[in-house]
Amino acid sequence: MKYGIVAFPSKELQDQANAYRKRYDPHYALIPPHMTIIGPFEIEGKSMKEASDELLKVASEHKPFELNVTKVSTFAPVTNAIYYKVEPNDDILALREALSLDFISNEESHQYVPHITIAQKMSSGEHDDVIGQIKMAGMEHTETIDRVHLLYQLENGMWTVYETFTLSGGR
Amino acid sequence: MKYGIVAFPSKELQDQANAYRKRYDPHYALIPPHMTIIGPFEIEGKSMKEASDELLKVASEHKPFELNVTKVSTFAPVTNAIYYKVEPNDDILALREALSLDFISNEESHQYVPHITIAQKMSSGEHDDVIGQIKMAGMEHTETIDRVHLLYQLENGMWTVYETFTLSGGR
């Protein structure tokens, strides 16, 4: 089973992201707008509940983090995905590091770039057509995130939330 | 803002429900398969976080409940919706009653029937065409639900999870 840990931003930011996603993101219907903390992974040697309980404990030691969107950016030419760039900060990186427990098995080959995807799986032509306009529209937004969620993926690709981890600690 | 409190059944049951929903439920992409505990409602006089904290406290006093699907049924002719019928039991009804705090404002005019929708918004013709076959295929399934979720609705109709309430009490 595939799992992920994500933060859902405020309804306001989700609604704005969805205005683009509806048109430009074929994953629009699979999950609400989100910032991935730890990407698709498998859980090894533990049940979902055992793993979730351990992750919950770790998350509860951490404090809420600032989600600061500074602009629109793109992963092209590596992949034609456009996103709200979230400024990395120590709280986000420390949370991600702490949640990366040894039963979490994923094969990440690229550096972690905190972001909220608003467009993906486009042809290069389509990407190049829209990137200028979306960048120009831009996005600046700051909010505090006080919870992240553990999700699992259904056979149809949709994601269901299993548990909510409240960031209520001091770390 | 519209809220709901729902239980997501196991991945197994969600995958089975989605096989029908994909074809027969226009809400397929808005939310994973679920059993509504308290239907769309508004929160009055409290922030989402305040309300959620109170609901969490109430839910934590309650114990996990048995989700026992016994058959396929339909709300026709009232509305052309087909669902997995969940046998009502004291735990489900007590949880729903307890979570119905006074800041929850909804206008329910019909009796609560625990269910998992697998088809809706059909024409009467379409409904009558498929109900026999889906009923015949049937569904019998029992599992234990140990958590419910507070969700809010985005502008596009999709639902995002805000909080998970673990049913860890003895009531």
Side-chain angles (χ1 to χ4, degrees):
Chain A
M1 192 138 74
K2 282 239 177 88
Y3 297 89
I5 298 174
V6 310
F8 296 120
S10 62
K11 175 175 179 295
E12 180 194 352
L13 192 57
Q14 288 185 70
D15 286 337
Q16 292 189 58
N18 272 337
Y20 288 118
R21 294 177 81 228
K22 182 171 188 166
R23 221 171 136 180
Y24 300 122
D25 184 353
H27 291 184
Y28 173 64
L30 300 182
I31 185 170
H34 61 281
M35 180 181 89
T36 299
I37 307 288
I38 306 184
F41 60 85
E42 307 274 341
I43 291 174
E44 286 189 342
K46 285 192 193 295
S47 71
M48 176 155 65
K49 181 155 172 47
E50 288 166 350
S52 176
D53 286 348
E54 288 200 33
L55 290 164
L56 179 90
K57 204 175 147 205
V58 169
S60 71
E61 295 166 354
H62 284 255
K63 56 179 189 248
F65 63 81
E66 201 87 331
L67 183 145
N68 182 18
V69 174
T70 51
K71 62 173 180 178
V72 171
S73 194
T74 175
F75 286 120
V78 177
T79 174
N80 292 322
I82 301 172
Y83 57 94
Y84 290 154
K85 179 171 169 55
V86 176
E87 284 303 316
N89 62 43
D90 290 348
D91 293 340
I92 295 175
L93 300 178
L95 178 63
R96 176 177 146 89
E97 176 71 24
L99 290 174
S100 299
L101 297 175
D102 56 7
F103 55 77
I104 286 185
S105 163
N106 64 347
E107 295 171 9
E108 290 196 337
S109 53
H110 50 273
Q111 207 202 336
Y112 177 63
V113 177
H115 69 279
I116 297 165
T117 299
I118 56 173
Q120 61 185 322
K121 315 268 177 198
M122 313 169 98
S123 70
S124 295
E126 195 181 3
H127 173 274
D128 296 352
D129 275 353
V130 302
I131 181 66
Q133 171 193 344
I134 300 180
K135 268 195 168 174
M136 184 91 78
M139 175 53 73
E140 288 187 38
H141 177 94
T142 298
E143 62 182 71
T144 301
I145 298 288
D146 68 353
R147 62 197 61 226
V148 298
H149 305 269
L150 173 65
L151 294 77
Y152 56 89
Q153 192 170 30
L154 302 179
E155 291 307 312
N156 67 354
M158 285 184 82
W159 292 85
T160 297
V161 170
Y162 180 72
E163 182 60 283
T164 301
F165 305 140
T166 305
L167 308 172
S168 51
R171 262 194 209 168
Chain B
M1 192 138 73
K2 283 239 178 87
Y3 298 88
I5 298 174
V6 311
F8 296 121
S10 62
K11 175 174 180 294
E12 180 195 351
L13 193 57
Q14 288 185 70
D15 285 337
Q16 291 189 57
N18 272 336
Y20 288 118
R21 295 176 81 227
K22 183 171 188 167
R23 218 169 137 180
Y24 300 121
D25 185 353
H27 291 185
Y28 172 64
L30 301 181
I31 185 171
H34 61 280
M35 179 180 91
T36 298
I37 307 288
I38 305 184
F41 60 84
E42 307 274 340
I43 291 175
E44 285 190 343
K46 285 193 194 291
S47 71
M48 177 157 62
K49 180 154 173 48
E50 288 165 349
S52 177
D53 287 348
E54 290 201 31
L55 290 164
L56 180 91
K57 203 176 146 203
V58 169
S60 70
E61 295 166 355
H62 284 254
K63 56 178 189 248
F65 63 81
E66 202 87 332
L67 184 144
N68 181 18
V69 175
T70 50
K71 62 175 181 177
V72 170
S73 193
T74 174
F75 286 121
V78 177
T79 174
N80 292 322
I82 302 172
Y83 57 93
Y84 290 155
K85 179 172 169 55
V86 176
E87 283 303 315
N89 62 45
D90 290 348
D91 293 339
I92 295 175
L93 300 178
L95 177 64
R96 176 177 146 89
E97 176 72 23
L99 291 174
S100 300
L101 298 175
D102 56 7
F103 54 78
I104 286 184
S105 163
N106 62 349
E107 295 170 9
E108 291 196 337
S109 53
H110 51 273
Q111 207 201 336
Y112 176 63
V113 177
H115 69 280
I116 298 166
T117 299
I118 55 172
Q120 61 185 321
K121 314 270 178 196
M122 314 170 98
S123 70
S124 295
E126 194 182 3
H127 173 275
D128 296 351
D129 276 353
V130 301
I131 182 66
Q133 170 194 344
I134 300 180
K135 269 195 168 173
M136 184 90 78
M139 173 54 71
E140 287 187 41
H141 176 95
T142 297
E143 63 182 70
T144 301
I145 298 289
D146 67 354
R147 61 197 60 226
V148 298
H149 306 269
L150 174 65
L151 293 78
Y152 56 91
Q153 192 169 31
L154 302 179
E155 292 308 312
N156 67 354
M158 283 185 83
W159 293 84
T160 297
V161 170
Y162 180 71
E163 182 60 282
T164 301
F165 305 140
T166 306
L167 308 172
S168 52
R171 260 193 211 167

